[in-house]
Amino acid sequence: MYNKSQLKEIIEKAISGLRYETEAEKLTEPVKYVLSIGGKRVRPLLTLMTCNLFSDKIDEAIMPATGIEVFHNFTLVHDDIMDNAPVRRGLPTVFKKWDLNQAVLSGDVMAFIANDCFLQAPANSISSVLRIYNKAAIEVCMGQQQDMDFETATAITQDAYLRMIELKTAVLIASAARIGAVIGGAMDQDSDLIYEFGRSLGLAFQLQDDLLDVYGDYKVFGKIQGGDILANKKTYLYVIASEKANKVQLNKLRKLFTTKEIDPDKKVREVMGLYDELNIKDPAESLIRKYFDKAFECLDNTAVHAGRKDELTAMASSLIGRGN
Amino acid sequence: MYNKSQLKEIIEKAISGLRYETEAEKLTEPVKYVLSIGGKRVRPLLTLMTCNLFSDKIDEAIMPATGIEVFHNFTLVHDDIMDNAPVRRGLPTVFKKWDLNQAVLSGDVMAFIANDCFLQAPANSISSVLRIYNKAAIEVCMGQQQDMDFETATAITQDAYLRMIELKTAVLIASAARIGAVIGGAMDQDSDLIYEFGRSLGLAFQLQDDLLDVYGDYKVFGKIQGGDILANKKTYLYVIASEKANKVQLNKLRKLFTTKEIDPDKKVREVMGLYDELNIKDPAESLIRKYFDKAFECLDNTAVHAGRKDELTAMASSLIGRGN
């Protein structure tokens, strides 16, 4: 069994080892830039760990794992255009460091570099791996569309919100996990359980992210408290607050999320006041717990010796801030 | 053997028959819009024709042919962002009809819809078809990058220009042809010849397009005479004019391609005057002929009964405006 830090090293090596065609250097400079910034590499780690769950040999999962990370970064490059975002992970976005055209085109080529990675899957699983990946890729686009649609929507139901984050975030995590399992030789039932594990984990992870924006220790999580509120982002907190609010509270909430003439600190304070008044922290935490428990139930049910699950359990826990 | 109009019908049916996930209608509306506008469908026609060259059964090439067309339209949607182009094929571009974000995202999903089409290739050729396609897709991005780089370049050699149009235009035509051949069961040697046929045809086609911008009968070709000149586009004509020009002529040419304070009619007239003075029509026509002849030489050399080549010959000829 590999431990997390060994797997992280394998992934970093695979990413920095990607060879790019050199006939247009300006095309691949932003690709190298984005991929070198790093991050937690959650998705490729999951792929390698789920592969390792079913097989001692993980070599054949390395390039597909890398493909998932390249795709994920492709979505970030294009999302930053759509969000007009100047900074990501503390550094200028491609869109800002270069320009719009470069972000469109260098993003595009990443989608094909990702394909290339998946085409290096073992011959007998190329088709299934590509099918799992490509279904997720289309769903991620759908999730991004729904997220954009929500910006101008007046009312968003909990179900609609959960489906959006499922598409935008959870299905890729689920597919990263399933691809590893498939390459590791998992049978269909285990592959389904691993997908469901990843999906539930992804949902818990995104909801936790929504919660931490307001209730997290911003010194620990490295984000500005209320960043989503300041960006008028309709997160799960906003959605349940809208559902629980009376008419007066709802008007106040909506006004706070549309007005531009308010001091940022005051805005965050007032929205947080409303959230507290409506007691939305509890239902949010309980839903996160529900998905988190569901994820572990699925992992428990896979036909794999419990001892093999330790690394995956530890990583999943740390992802939700419940481990180390 | 199928004739061109039968194949065109098959392609239109496959394109309009594409089923899209419906969880985000705004995502796929621009996709349907772009794909319904039509065009000559040169690339998928080539795929079906080269398949039909080697096999009487073309069914298995239909979805990969459709994938090529979806990819081609993906590049158009994103190129129109990069060129800030309001109109294509007489209709507003996605970028203009919707907005930047929609053009980025709906373009993106087309790359994955294309993948989906290729994944419907026959099981024994999925990997090779995807490899051929994906190599071309990366090269097309490289070509677009080089084209963007040329906008600010002062001197462009003929070789650099030819490589750019090879990457941006010819490799996709070549790959469309090769994919059909592979699915049709062509042996490696024939598959290489068919690729080279498509590559040469693509080069001839793009050079012809450059030439017709200035020397074509604009009533026949439906474009404004000198459109490339007005857009300061450095075409093959510009490149050879730069090479043949003396210092005075070169300064005049460069000035005409950078100044904004000149009447459009006068600009086109003056550039055309320079082109005539330098006699660039002859070398351009002779290079087009060279590639055109090369294409047919390759087609002639494939190990296929001559009678099977008629449709492909006719279409290739009409593409260069030498048939009907």
Side-chain angles (χ1 to χ4, degrees):
Chain A
M1 295 291 292
Y2 293 82
N3 66 37
K4 187 179 165 182
S5 70
Q6 290 171 317
L7 296 175
K8 182 94 179 346
E9 205 176 303
I10 289 170
I11 289 160
E12 295 300 344
K13 203 176 144 198
I15 289 171
S16 61
L18 282 172
R19 289 286 156 263
Y20 307 101
E21 299 272 355
T22 53
E23 280 186 74
E25 278 185 27
K26 282 181 75 180
L27 179 67
T28 48
E29 269 170 29
V31 181
K32 290 180 200 168
Y33 170 75
V34 162
L35 288 174
S36 71
I37 293 175
K40 286 173 292 184
R41 313 292 194 196
V42 171
R43 294 156 194 81
L45 273 174
L46 269 176
T47 304
L48 295 188
M49 284 184 181
T50 54
C51 179
N52 204 191
L53 206 57
F54 299 94
S55 166
D56 289 326
K57 215 168 136 274
I58 60 157
D59 296 28
E60 292 181 325
I62 296 171
M63 288 318 293
T66 306
I68 291 280
E69 184 67 8
V70 173
F71 170 80
H72 173 60
N73 280 273
F74 148 80
T75 66
L76 300 182
V77 171
H78 279 187
D79 283 4
D80 286 339
I81 297 174
M82 294 181 251
D83 295 340
N84 205 357
V87 175
R88 172 170 302 268
R89 295 170 184 156
L91 286 168
T93 55
V94 172
F95 163 65
K96 205 74 191 174
K97 193 175 160 81
W98 282 269
D99 56 27
L100 168 68
N101 287 1
Q102 202 57 61
V104 171
L105 189 61
S106 293
D108 285 348
V109 82
M110 292 175 84
F112 305 112
I113 294 173
N115 278 353
D116 229 22
C117 293
F118 293 112
L119 284 166
Q120 293 174 61
N124 62 352
S125 62
I126 283 186
S127 296
S128 47
V129 165
L130 269 162
R131 269 177 240 279
I132 297 164
Y133 158 65
N134 204 55
K135 182 169 186 293
I138 290 175
E139 288 174 338
V140 169
C141 292
M142 282 165 45
Q144 171 67 7
Q145 180 70 56
Q146 291 186 356
D147 198 13
M148 282 175 8
D149 293 346
F150 285 176
E151 281 172 28
T152 50
T154 43
I156 302 159
T157 64
Q158 279 200 54
D159 282 350
Y161 183 80
L162 291 172
R163 181 61 179 153
M164 184 278 282
I165 61 170
E166 179 174 355
L167 291 167
K168 185 168 171 169
T169 304
V171 296
L172 188 63
I173 294 176
S175 301
R178 194 201 280 270
I179 285 171
V182 166
I183 296 174
M187 295 288 107
D188 283 356
Q189 200 185 334
D190 280 343
S191 155
D192 289 345
L193 282 166
I194 287 295
Y195 184 87
E196 188 51 36
F197 157 76
R199 194 187 74 93
S200 302
L201 187 68
L203 286 166
F205 174 65
Q206 184 56 54
L207 291 169
Q208 179 87 343
D209 200 60
D210 286 3
L211 191 71
L212 291 178
D213 180 66
V214 172
Y215 296 103
D217 183 341
Y218 65 93
K219 289 187 205 87
V220 174
F221 294 99
K223 290 187 180 174
I224 301 162
Q225 188 172 38
D228 290 340
I229 294 171
L230 292 172
N232 295 325
K233 210 161 161 45
K234 289 161 188 160
T235 66
Y236 187 66
L237 306 186
Y238 175 91
V239 171
I240 30 178
S242 309
E243 283 191 1
K244 291 180 90 176
N246 62 31
K247 213 171 167 182
V248 177
Q249 291 166 319
L250 188 60
N251 277 338
K252 192 177 169 192
L253 184 69
R254 286 189 179 164
K255 208 175 156 198
L256 281 162
F257 268 76
T258 45
T259 184
K260 279 165 188 167
E261 280 121 38
I262 184 168
D263 171 71
D265 282 345
K266 187 163 182 250
K267 178 169 173 169
V268 172
R269 254 194 341 268
E270 295 217 355
V271 172
M272 283 181 68
L274 263 173
Y275 286 174
D276 286 339
E277 212 172 294
L278 292 163
N279 186 27
I280 59 160
K281 200 182 169 192
D282 285 352
E285 281 181 337
S286 107
L287 190 61
I288 292 166
R289 202 174 312 116
K290 192 190 107 182
Y291 284 123
F292 191 66
D293 292 346
K294 178 79 187 289
F296 281 95
E297 194 193 310
C298 292
L299 187 57
D300 284 345
N301 288 337
T302 53
V304 172
H305 186 276
R308 295 192 77 95
K309 297 174 187 172
D310 293 347
E311 285 297 322
L312 204 48
T313 305
M315 197 187 66
S317 302
S318 79
L319 205 60
I320 311 296
R322 302 193 177 189
N324 43 19
Chain B
M1 296 290 293
Y2 292 83
N3 66 38
K4 187 180 165 184
S5 70
Q6 290 171 316
L7 295 174
K8 183 91 176 350
E9 205 174 305
I10 289 170
I11 289 159
E12 295 300 344
K13 203 177 145 196
I15 290 171
S16 61
L18 283 171
R19 288 287 155 263
Y20 308 100
E21 299 273 356
T22 52
E23 281 187 75
E25 278 186 27
K26 281 180 75 178
L27 178 67
T28 47
E29 269 170 29
V31 181
K32 290 180 201 166
Y33 170 75
V34 162
L35 288 174
S36 71
I37 293 175
K40 285 173 291 186
R41 313 291 194 196
V42 171
R43 294 157 193 81
L45 273 174
L46 269 176
T47 305
L48 295 188
M49 283 183 182
T50 55
C51 179
N52 205 191
L53 206 56
F54 298 94
S55 165
D56 288 327
K57 217 168 134 271
I58 59 158
D59 296 28
E60 292 180 325
I62 295 171
M63 287 318 293
T66 305
I68 291 279
E69 185 67 9
V70 172
F71 169 80
H72 173 59
N73 280 273
F74 147 80
T75 66
L76 300 183
V77 171
H78 280 187
D79 283 4
D80 286 339
I81 297 174
M82 294 180 250
D83 295 340
N84 205 356
V87 174
R88 173 171 301 270
R89 294 173 186 154
L91 286 167
T93 55
V94 172
F95 162 65
K96 206 72 192 176
K97 193 175 161 81
W98 283 269
D99 55 27
L100 169 67
N101 287 2
Q102 203 56 60
V104 171
L105 189 61
S106 293
D108 286 348
V109 83
M110 291 175 83
F112 305 112
I113 294 173
N115 277 354
D116 229 23
C117 293
F118 293 113
L119 283 166
Q120 294 174 60
N124 62 351
S125 62
I126 283 186
S127 296
S128 47
V129 164
L130 269 162
R131 269 177 239 279
I132 297 164
Y133 158 65
N134 205 55
K135 183 168 185 293
I138 290 175
E139 288 174 338
V140 169
C141 292
M142 282 164 47
Q144 171 67 6
Q145 180 69 56
Q146 291 187 355
D147 198 14
M148 282 173 12
D149 293 347
F150 284 176
E151 280 171 28
T152 50
T154 44
I156 303 158
T157 65
Q158 278 200 55
D159 282 351
Y161 183 80
L162 291 173
R163 182 60 179 153
M164 183 278 281
I165 60 171
E166 179 174 355
L167 292 167
K168 185 166 170 169
T169 304
V171 295
L172 187 63
I173 293 175
S175 301
R178 194 201 280 270
I179 285 171
V182 166
I183 296 174
M187 295 289 107
D188 283 356
Q189 199 185 334
D190 280 342
S191 155
D192 289 346
L193 282 166
I194 288 295
Y195 184 87
E196 188 51 37
F197 157 76
R199 195 188 73 92
S200 302
L201 187 68
L203 287 166
F205 174 64
Q206 184 56 53
L207 291 169
Q208 179 87 343
D209 200 59
D210 286 4
L211 190 71
L212 290 178
D213 179 65
V214 172
Y215 295 105
D217 183 341
Y218 65 93
K219 289 186 205 89
V220 175
F221 295 97
K223 291 185 180 175
I224 302 162
Q225 188 172 39
D228 290 339
I229 295 171
L230 292 172
N232 294 325
K233 206 159 165 49
K234 289 161 188 159
T235 66
Y236 187 65
L237 305 186
Y238 176 90
V239 171
I240 29 176
S242 311
E243 284 191 0
K244 293 181 86 176
N246 62 31
K247 214 170 166 182
V248 177
Q249 291 167 320
L250 187 60
N251 278 338
K252 192 177 167 190
L253 184 68
R254 286 188 178 163
K255 208 175 156 198
L256 281 163
F257 268 75
T258 44
T259 185
K260 279 167 186 165
E261 281 122 36
I262 184 169
D263 170 71
D265 282 344
K266 188 165 181 249
K267 177 169 173 169
V268 172
R269 252 195 338 268
E270 295 216 357
V271 172
M272 283 181 68
L274 263 172
Y275 286 174
D276 287 340
E277 213 171 294
L278 293 162
N279 186 27
I280 58 160
K281 200 182 168 193
D282 284 353
E285 283 183 336
S286 108
L287 190 62
I288 293 166
R289 203 173 311 116
K290 192 190 108 183
Y291 284 123
F292 191 66
D293 291 346
K294 178 81 187 287
F296 281 96
E297 194 191 310
C298 293
L299 187 57
D300 284 345
N301 287 338
T302 53
V304 172
H305 186 277
R308 293 192 79 93
K309 298 174 186 171
D310 293 347
E311 285 298 321
L312 204 47
T313 305
M315 197 188 65
S317 302
S318 78
L319 206 59
I320 312 294
R322 301 193 178 190
N324 43 16

